[in-house]
Tab-separated table of all heavy atoms in Angstrom:
chain	number	residue	atom	x	y	z
A	1	ASP	N	-47.306	36.323	-48.364
A	1	ASP	CA	-47.021	37.755	-48.797
A	1	ASP	C	-45.563	38.056	-48.820
A	1	ASP	O	-44.702	37.358	-48.426
A	1	ASP	CB	-47.863	38.701	-48.000
A	1	ASP	CG	-47.405	38.711	-46.463
A	1	ASP	OD1	-46.422	38.021	-46.068
A	1	ASP	OD2	-48.062	39.370	-45.731
A	2	THR	N	-45.217	39.300	-49.255
A	2	THR	CA	-43.883	39.799	-49.399
A	2	THR	C	-43.195	39.681	-48.015
A	2	THR	O	-41.977	39.356	-47.951
A	2	THR	CB	-43.862	41.253	-49.961
A	2	THR	OG1	-44.506	41.230	-51.215
A	2	THR	CG2	-42.507	41.839	-49.973
A	3	ALA	N	-43.864	40.079	-47.007
A	3	ALA	CA	-43.228	40.138	-45.632
A	3	ALA	C	-42.719	38.710	-45.332
A	3	ALA	O	-41.626	38.611	-44.713
A	3	ALA	CB	-44.228	40.662	-44.595
A	4	HIS	N	-43.459	37.698	-45.665
A	4	HIS	CA	-43.019	36.392	-45.278
A	4	HIS	C	-41.733	36.019	-46.106
A	4	HIS	O	-40.777	35.448	-45.505
A	4	HIS	CB	-44.123	35.323	-45.606
A	4	HIS	CG	-43.816	33.959	-45.291
A	4	HIS	ND1	-43.664	33.446	-43.954
A	4	HIS	CD2	-43.381	32.976	-45.994
A	4	HIS	CE1	-43.321	32.219	-44.010
A	4	HIS	NE2	-43.122	31.852	-45.182
A	5	TRP	N	-41.738	36.280	-47.410
A	5	TRP	CA	-40.525	36.102	-48.193
A	5	TRP	C	-39.376	36.767	-47.683
A	5	TRP	O	-38.236	36.272	-47.537
A	5	TRP	CB	-40.765	36.595	-49.691
A	5	TRP	CG	-41.571	35.655	-50.547
A	5	TRP	CD1	-42.971	35.551	-50.599
A	5	TRP	CD2	-41.041	34.715	-51.376
A	5	TRP	NE1	-43.267	34.548	-51.478
A	5	TRP	CE2	-42.154	34.064	-52.026
A	5	TRP	CE3	-39.726	34.280	-51.797
A	5	TRP	CZ2	-41.987	33.039	-53.005
A	5	TRP	CZ3	-39.611	33.298	-52.773
A	5	TRP	CH2	-40.644	32.709	-53.386
A	6	CYS	N	-39.549	38.074	-47.227
A	6	CYS	CA	-38.421	38.838	-46.626
A	6	CYS	C	-37.906	38.159	-45.364
A	6	CYS	O	-36.662	38.142	-45.202
A	6	CYS	CB	-38.850	40.266	-46.342
A	6	CYS	SG	-39.276	41.153	-47.844
A	7	THR	N	-38.820	37.704	-44.535
A	7	THR	CA	-38.339	37.064	-43.258
A	7	THR	C	-37.546	35.832	-43.570
A	7	THR	O	-36.510	35.512	-42.904
A	7	THR	CB	-39.657	36.693	-42.388
A	7	THR	OG1	-40.280	37.952	-42.061
A	7	THR	CG2	-39.206	36.012	-41.141
A	8	VAL	N	-37.948	34.965	-44.523
A	8	VAL	CA	-37.340	33.808	-44.830
A	8	VAL	C	-35.898	34.118	-45.442
A	8	VAL	O	-34.938	33.501	-45.091
A	8	VAL	CB	-38.211	32.932	-45.862
A	8	VAL	CG1	-37.369	31.782	-46.416
A	8	VAL	CG2	-39.537	32.426	-45.244
A	9	ILE	N	-35.804	35.102	-46.223
A	9	ILE	CA	-34.556	35.526	-46.846
A	9	ILE	C	-33.640	36.016	-45.781
A	9	ILE	O	-32.479	35.438	-45.658
A	9	ILE	CB	-34.664	36.637	-47.908
A	9	ILE	CG1	-35.525	36.004	-49.209
A	9	ILE	CG2	-33.399	37.225	-48.353
A	9	ILE	CD1	-36.072	37.056	-50.089
A	10	ASP	N	-34.053	36.850	-44.928
A	10	ASP	CA	-33.202	37.432	-43.897
A	10	ASP	C	-32.756	36.300	-42.906
A	10	ASP	O	-31.639	36.245	-42.527
A	10	ASP	CB	-33.878	38.494	-43.134
A	10	ASP	CG	-33.689	39.909	-43.724
A	10	ASP	OD1	-32.725	40.071	-44.592
A	10	ASP	OD2	-34.499	40.781	-43.450
A	11	ASP	N	-33.709	35.500	-42.506
A	11	ASP	CA	-33.410	34.324	-41.548
A	11	ASP	C	-32.337	33.501	-42.134
A	11	ASP	O	-31.385	33.098	-41.455
A	11	ASP	CB	-34.674	33.499	-41.306
A	11	ASP	CG	-35.630	34.259	-40.342
A	11	ASP	OD1	-35.315	35.372	-39.837
A	11	ASP	OD2	-36.794	33.784	-40.196
A	12	LEU	N	-32.406	33.163	-43.409
A	12	LEU	CA	-31.404	32.202	-44.090
A	12	LEU	C	-30.038	32.906	-44.194
A	12	LEU	O	-29.090	32.435	-43.824
A	12	LEU	CB	-31.900	31.769	-45.446
A	12	LEU	CG	-30.898	30.876	-46.201
A	12	LEU	CD1	-30.535	29.630	-45.331
A	12	LEU	CD2	-31.442	30.495	-47.508
A	13	LEU	N	-30.084	34.187	-44.573
A	13	LEU	CA	-28.777	34.853	-44.886
A	13	LEU	C	-28.175	35.297	-43.509
A	13	LEU	O	-26.930	35.471	-43.488
A	13	LEU	CB	-29.020	36.026	-45.750
A	13	LEU	CG	-29.352	35.698	-47.201
A	13	LEU	CD1	-29.687	37.004	-47.988
A	13	LEU	CD2	-28.335	34.829	-47.881
A	14	ASP	N	-28.929	35.318	-42.448
A	14	ASP	CA	-28.310	35.764	-41.175
A	14	ASP	C	-27.936	34.511	-40.322
A	14	ASP	O	-27.381	34.706	-39.189
A	14	ASP	CB	-29.338	36.650	-40.414
A	14	ASP	CG	-29.539	37.980	-41.041
A	14	ASP	OD1	-28.640	38.425	-41.914
A	14	ASP	OD2	-30.560	38.631	-40.816
A	15	ASP	N	-28.129	33.313	-40.861
A	15	ASP	CA	-27.844	32.132	-40.073
A	15	ASP	C	-26.833	31.327	-40.878
A	15	ASP	O	-27.119	30.456	-41.778
A	15	ASP	CB	-29.134	31.250	-39.824
A	15	ASP	CG	-28.942	30.074	-39.068
A	15	ASP	OD1	-27.801	29.634	-38.872
A	15	ASP	OD2	-29.894	29.512	-38.570
A	16	ASP	N	-25.527	31.595	-40.507
A	16	ASP	CA	-24.434	31.015	-41.192
A	16	ASP	C	-24.507	29.430	-41.262
A	16	ASP	O	-24.278	28.748	-42.282
A	16	ASP	CB	-23.039	31.381	-40.769
A	16	ASP	CG	-22.759	32.863	-41.084
A	16	ASP	OD1	-23.384	33.425	-41.972
A	16	ASP	OD2	-21.956	33.460	-40.387
A	17	TYR	N	-24.823	28.930	-40.032
A	17	TYR	CA	-24.880	27.395	-39.993
A	17	TYR	C	-25.987	26.824	-40.940
A	17	TYR	O	-25.643	25.952	-41.720
A	17	TYR	CB	-25.062	26.968	-38.554
A	17	TYR	CG	-25.228	25.528	-38.391
A	17	TYR	CD1	-24.135	24.633	-38.443
A	17	TYR	CD2	-26.529	24.923	-38.311
A	17	TYR	CE1	-24.298	23.280	-38.368
A	17	TYR	CE2	-26.669	23.515	-38.194
A	17	TYR	CZ	-25.552	22.749	-38.261
A	17	TYR	OH	-25.698	21.382	-38.255
A	18	ARG	N	-27.133	27.413	-40.829
A	18	ARG	CA	-28.212	26.867	-41.665
A	18	ARG	C	-27.920	27.092	-43.187
A	18	ARG	O	-28.198	26.263	-44.003
A	18	ARG	CB	-29.550	27.517	-41.321
A	18	ARG	CG	-30.687	26.976	-42.066
A	18	ARG	CD	-32.052	27.353	-41.496
A	18	ARG	NE	-33.150	26.720	-42.174
A	18	ARG	CZ	-34.183	27.333	-42.672
A	18	ARG	NH1	-34.222	28.673	-42.591
A	18	ARG	NH2	-35.052	26.672	-43.321
A	19	TYR	N	-27.311	28.216	-43.464
A	19	TYR	CA	-26.943	28.499	-44.939
A	19	TYR	C	-25.971	27.457	-45.370
A	19	TYR	O	-26.159	26.899	-46.416
A	19	TYR	CB	-26.402	29.924	-45.003
A	19	TYR	CG	-25.987	30.181	-46.447
A	19	TYR	CD1	-26.913	30.769	-47.340
A	19	TYR	CD2	-24.762	29.879	-46.998
A	19	TYR	CE1	-26.604	31.002	-48.622
A	19	TYR	CE2	-24.407	30.133	-48.253
A	19	TYR	CZ	-25.428	30.615	-49.133
A	19	TYR	OH	-25.122	30.714	-50.435
A	20	ARG	N	-24.912	27.207	-44.679
A	20	ARG	CA	-23.933	26.242	-45.096
A	20	ARG	C	-24.604	24.899	-45.218
A	20	ARG	O	-24.210	24.061	-46.119
A	20	ARG	CB	-22.737	26.233	-44.113
A	20	ARG	CG	-21.754	27.361	-44.318
A	20	ARG	CD	-20.520	27.198	-43.564
A	20	ARG	NE	-20.605	26.785	-42.151
A	20	ARG	CZ	-20.786	27.621	-41.141
A	20	ARG	NH1	-20.921	28.919	-41.338
A	20	ARG	NH2	-20.950	27.142	-39.878
A	21	GLN	N	-25.465	24.506	-44.326
A	21	GLN	CA	-26.098	23.284	-44.361
A	21	GLN	C	-26.932	23.123	-45.620
A	21	GLN	O	-26.839	22.112	-46.296
A	21	GLN	CB	-26.935	23.115	-43.092
A	21	GLN	CG	-27.525	21.796	-42.851
A	21	GLN	CD	-28.415	21.667	-41.625
A	21	GLN	OE1	-29.070	22.705	-41.164
A	21	GLN	NE2	-28.420	20.578	-40.856
A	22	LEU	N	-27.740	24.109	-45.899
A	22	LEU	CA	-28.625	24.056	-47.097
A	22	LEU	C	-27.773	24.030	-48.415
A	22	LEU	O	-28.032	23.306	-49.332
A	22	LEU	CB	-29.575	25.203	-47.163
A	22	LEU	CG	-30.772	25.040	-46.161
A	22	LEU	CD1	-31.691	26.322	-46.362
A	22	LEU	CD2	-31.639	23.845	-46.419
A	23	SER	N	-26.739	24.701	-48.298
A	23	SER	CA	-25.752	24.788	-49.510
A	23	SER	C	-25.182	23.474	-49.866
A	23	SER	O	-25.153	22.936	-50.953
A	23	SER	CB	-24.664	25.846	-49.213
A	23	SER	OG	-23.750	25.889	-50.274
A	24	GLU	N	-24.721	22.770	-48.762
A	24	GLU	CA	-24.138	21.374	-48.952
A	24	GLU	C	-25.308	20.423	-49.442
A	24	GLU	O	-25.000	19.616	-50.284
A	24	GLU	CB	-23.518	21.002	-47.670
A	24	GLU	CG	-22.885	19.590	-47.769
A	24	GLU	CD	-21.891	19.467	-48.935
A	24	GLU	OE1	-21.228	20.352	-49.235
A	24	GLU	OE2	-21.859	18.347	-49.504
A	25	ILE	N	-26.406	20.477	-48.858
A	25	ILE	CA	-27.491	19.517	-49.222
A	25	ILE	C	-27.842	19.782	-50.676
A	25	ILE	O	-28.027	18.959	-51.510
A	25	ILE	CB	-28.727	19.704	-48.316
A	25	ILE	CG1	-28.320	19.215	-46.908
A	25	ILE	CG2	-29.923	18.971	-48.851
A	25	ILE	CD1	-29.438	19.557	-45.875
A	26	ALA	N	-27.973	21.101	-51.098
A	26	ALA	CA	-28.328	21.513	-52.438
A	26	ALA	C	-27.336	20.922	-53.358
A	26	ALA	O	-27.645	20.260	-54.454
A	26	ALA	CB	-28.395	23.021	-52.586
A	27	ARG	N	-26.050	21.090	-53.088
A	27	ARG	CA	-25.031	20.566	-54.015
A	27	ARG	C	-25.067	19.047	-54.096
A	27	ARG	O	-24.997	18.493	-55.212
A	27	ARG	CB	-23.619	20.985	-53.446
A	27	ARG	CG	-22.427	20.734	-54.434
A	27	ARG	CD	-21.145	21.246	-53.879
A	27	ARG	NE	-21.063	22.462	-53.209
A	27	ARG	CZ	-20.906	23.655	-53.744
A	27	ARG	NH1	-20.784	23.808	-55.075
A	27	ARG	NH2	-20.886	24.797	-53.073
A	28	ARG	N	-25.146	18.437	-52.966
A	28	ARG	CA	-25.280	16.952	-52.976
A	28	ARG	C	-26.503	16.424	-53.723
A	28	ARG	O	-26.446	15.506	-54.527
A	28	ARG	CB	-25.301	16.453	-51.552
A	28	ARG	CG	-25.035	14.916	-51.366
A	28	ARG	CD	-24.824	14.481	-49.904
A	28	ARG	NE	-25.867	14.915	-49.050
A	28	ARG	CZ	-25.708	15.824	-47.948
A	28	ARG	NH1	-24.511	16.431	-47.821
A	28	ARG	NH2	-26.712	16.168	-47.233
A	29	GLU	N	-27.663	17.018	-53.481
A	29	GLU	CA	-28.934	16.544	-54.172
A	29	GLU	C	-28.956	16.887	-55.628
A	29	GLU	O	-29.636	16.215	-56.367
A	29	GLU	CB	-30.129	17.097	-53.491
A	29	GLU	CG	-30.302	16.445	-52.108
A	29	GLU	CD	-31.726	16.774	-51.484
A	29	GLU	OE1	-32.508	17.556	-52.105
A	29	GLU	OE2	-32.028	16.179	-50.441
A	30	SER	N	-28.231	17.874	-56.064
A	30	SER	CA	-28.244	18.206	-57.506
A	30	SER	C	-27.513	17.028	-58.259
A	30	SER	O	-27.745	16.955	-59.543
A	30	SER	CB	-27.555	19.526	-57.818
A	30	SER	OG	-26.131	19.339	-57.611
A	31	CYS	N	-26.775	16.153	-57.614
A	31	CYS	CA	-26.060	15.140	-58.269
A	31	CYS	C	-26.858	13.809	-58.210
A	31	CYS	O	-26.399	12.745	-58.567
A	31	CYS	CB	-24.752	14.941	-57.618
A	31	CYS	SG	-23.630	16.323	-57.850
A	32	LEU	N	-28.082	13.912	-57.697
A	32	LEU	CA	-28.934	12.647	-57.612
A	32	LEU	C	-29.092	11.989	-58.974
A	32	LEU	O	-29.279	12.735	-59.941
A	32	LEU	CB	-30.257	12.850	-56.917
A	32	LEU	CG	-30.284	13.290	-55.418
A	32	LEU	CD1	-31.658	13.688	-54.988
A	32	LEU	CD2	-29.698	12.122	-54.608
A	33	PRO	N	-29.162	10.639	-59.001
A	33	PRO	CA	-29.275	9.994	-60.350
A	33	PRO	C	-30.472	10.462	-61.146
A	33	PRO	O	-30.385	10.540	-62.392
A	33	PRO	CB	-29.394	8.537	-59.999
A	33	PRO	CG	-28.823	8.371	-58.614
A	33	PRO	CD	-29.059	9.762	-57.924
A	34	GLU	N	-31.660	10.740	-60.492
A	34	GLU	CA	-32.762	11.150	-61.230
A	34	GLU	C	-32.592	12.434	-62.037
A	34	GLU	O	-33.387	12.710	-62.947
A	34	GLU	CB	-34.039	11.209	-60.365
A	34	GLU	CG	-33.981	12.142	-59.238
A	34	GLU	CD	-33.579	11.512	-57.938
A	34	GLU	OE1	-32.768	10.527	-57.900
A	34	GLU	OE2	-34.037	12.006	-56.859
A	35	PHE	N	-31.602	13.262	-61.733
A	35	PHE	CA	-31.354	14.513	-62.474
A	35	PHE	C	-30.247	14.362	-63.500
A	35	PHE	O	-29.923	15.296	-64.198
A	35	PHE	CB	-30.998	15.596	-61.452
A	35	PHE	CG	-32.136	15.962	-60.495
A	35	PHE	CD1	-31.948	15.911	-59.120
A	35	PHE	CD2	-33.409	16.189	-61.033
A	35	PHE	CE1	-32.915	16.216	-58.252
A	35	PHE	CE2	-34.467	16.450	-60.104
A	35	PHE	CZ	-34.256	16.479	-58.739
A	36	SER	N	-29.719	13.116	-63.689
A	36	SER	CA	-28.672	12.926	-64.676
A	36	SER	C	-29.190	13.016	-66.073
A	36	SER	O	-30.485	12.760	-66.280
A	36	SER	CB	-28.009	11.556	-64.489
A	36	SER	OG	-28.821	10.532	-64.927
A	37	LEU	N	-28.383	13.320	-67.037
A	37	LEU	CA	-28.805	13.381	-68.419
A	37	LEU	C	-29.424	12.099	-68.840
A	37	LEU	O	-30.441	12.016	-69.543
A	37	LEU	CB	-27.701	13.785	-69.369
A	37	LEU	CG	-27.983	13.830	-70.887
A	37	LEU	CD1	-28.996	14.877	-71.168
A	37	LEU	CD2	-26.672	14.115	-71.616
A	38	GLN	N	-28.778	10.971	-68.545
A	38	GLN	CA	-29.272	9.671	-68.896
A	38	GLN	C	-30.677	9.394	-68.397
A	38	GLN	O	-31.568	8.906	-69.089
A	38	GLN	CB	-28.319	8.675	-68.411
A	38	GLN	CG	-26.954	8.584	-69.069
A	38	GLN	CD	-26.008	9.679	-68.457
A	38	GLN	OE1	-26.344	10.326	-67.451
A	38	GLN	NE2	-24.868	9.875	-69.058
A	39	SER	N	-30.958	9.725	-67.109
A	39	SER	CA	-32.255	9.523	-66.492
A	39	SER	C	-33.316	10.396	-67.205
A	39	SER	O	-34.424	9.934	-67.477
A	39	SER	CB	-32.176	9.811	-64.985
A	39	SER	OG	-33.353	9.660	-64.382
A	40	VAL	N	-32.980	11.627	-67.362
A	40	VAL	CA	-33.876	12.504	-68.090
A	40	VAL	C	-34.258	12.123	-69.488
A	40	VAL	O	-35.461	12.053	-69.831
A	40	VAL	CB	-33.342	14.005	-68.110
A	40	VAL	CG1	-34.229	14.906	-68.882
A	40	VAL	CG2	-33.230	14.546	-66.624
A	41	LEU	N	-33.308	11.672	-70.214
A	41	LEU	CA	-33.542	11.133	-71.589
A	41	LEU	C	-34.415	9.806	-71.499
A	41	LEU	O	-35.249	9.635	-72.375
A	41	LEU	CB	-32.236	10.938	-72.326
A	41	LEU	CG	-31.501	12.137	-72.799
A	41	LEU	CD1	-30.136	11.853	-73.395
A	41	LEU	CD2	-32.400	12.960	-73.752
A	42	ALA	N	-34.041	8.999	-70.594
A	42	ALA	CA	-34.795	7.802	-70.503
A	42	ALA	C	-36.259	8.072	-70.178
A	42	ALA	O	-37.210	7.430	-70.716
A	42	ALA	CB	-34.167	6.868	-69.400
A	43	GLN	N	-36.509	8.993	-69.257
A	43	GLN	CA	-37.852	9.378	-68.935
A	43	GLN	C	-38.579	9.994	-70.160
A	43	GLN	O	-39.747	9.802	-70.420
A	43	GLN	CB	-37.978	10.352	-67.736
A	43	GLN	CG	-39.306	10.818	-67.378
A	43	GLN	CD	-40.168	9.738	-66.788
A	43	GLN	OE1	-39.740	8.652	-66.463
A	43	GLN	NE2	-41.481	10.016	-66.859
A	44	PHE	N	-37.879	10.833	-70.884
A	44	PHE	CA	-38.426	11.504	-72.065
A	44	PHE	C	-38.826	10.416	-73.090
A	44	PHE	O	-40.010	10.485	-73.623
A	44	PHE	CB	-37.394	12.352	-72.749
A	44	PHE	CG	-37.719	12.882	-74.100
A	44	PHE	CD1	-38.707	13.909	-74.264
A	44	PHE	CD2	-37.222	12.292	-75.241
A	44	PHE	CE1	-39.013	14.368	-75.485
A	44	PHE	CE2	-37.602	12.784	-76.523
A	44	PHE	CZ	-38.568	13.829	-76.555
A	45	TRP	N	-38.004	9.402	-73.346
A	45	TRP	CA	-38.326	8.383	-74.315
A	45	TRP	C	-39.504	7.463	-73.738
A	45	TRP	O	-40.318	7.066	-74.601
A	45	TRP	CB	-37.181	7.525	-74.738
A	45	TRP	CG	-36.252	8.394	-75.565
A	45	TRP	CD1	-35.025	8.803	-75.332
A	45	TRP	CD2	-36.528	8.923	-76.940
A	45	TRP	NE1	-34.500	9.601	-76.334
A	45	TRP	CE2	-35.414	9.657	-77.303
A	45	TRP	CE3	-37.706	8.741	-77.689
A	45	TRP	CZ2	-35.398	10.234	-78.620
A	45	TRP	CZ3	-37.628	9.499	-78.987
A	45	TRP	CH2	-36.448	10.166	-79.377
A	46	ARG	N	-39.612	7.283	-72.520
A	46	ARG	CA	-40.794	6.519	-71.956
A	46	ARG	C	-42.016	7.381	-72.251
A	46	ARG	O	-43.023	6.715	-72.667
A	46	ARG	CB	-40.554	6.253	-70.472
A	46	ARG	CG	-39.700	5.089	-70.154
A	46	ARG	CD	-39.897	4.702	-68.629
A	46	ARG	NE	-39.355	5.720	-67.751
A	46	ARG	CZ	-38.030	5.802	-67.449
A	46	ARG	NH1	-37.168	5.067	-67.915
A	46	ARG	NH2	-37.692	6.774	-66.517
A	47	ILE	N	-42.020	8.617	-72.100
A	47	ILE	CA	-43.171	9.400	-72.320
A	47	ILE	C	-43.487	9.302	-73.825
A	47	ILE	O	-44.693	9.180	-74.231
A	47	ILE	CB	-43.003	10.810	-71.784
A	47	ILE	CG1	-42.988	10.862	-70.263
A	47	ILE	CG2	-44.127	11.815	-72.358
A	47	ILE	CD1	-42.444	12.127	-69.714
A	48	VAL	N	-42.525	9.533	-74.644
A	48	VAL	CA	-42.765	9.529	-76.184
A	48	VAL	C	-43.410	8.238	-76.512
A	48	VAL	O	-44.240	8.090	-77.328
A	48	VAL	CB	-41.421	9.795	-76.944
A	48	VAL	CG1	-41.554	9.512	-78.419
A	48	VAL	CG2	-41.013	11.252	-76.704
């Protein structure tokens, strides 16, 4: 429910260490090879 979402949001925004940790992990994982243009196109053509 909404209350749970609110708790999760407040907990994350009020915890600087956890926030910085998730931010760094997010940035690093966005560069994973499976999300590259080449990988996405290769998967698309396999499906086609």
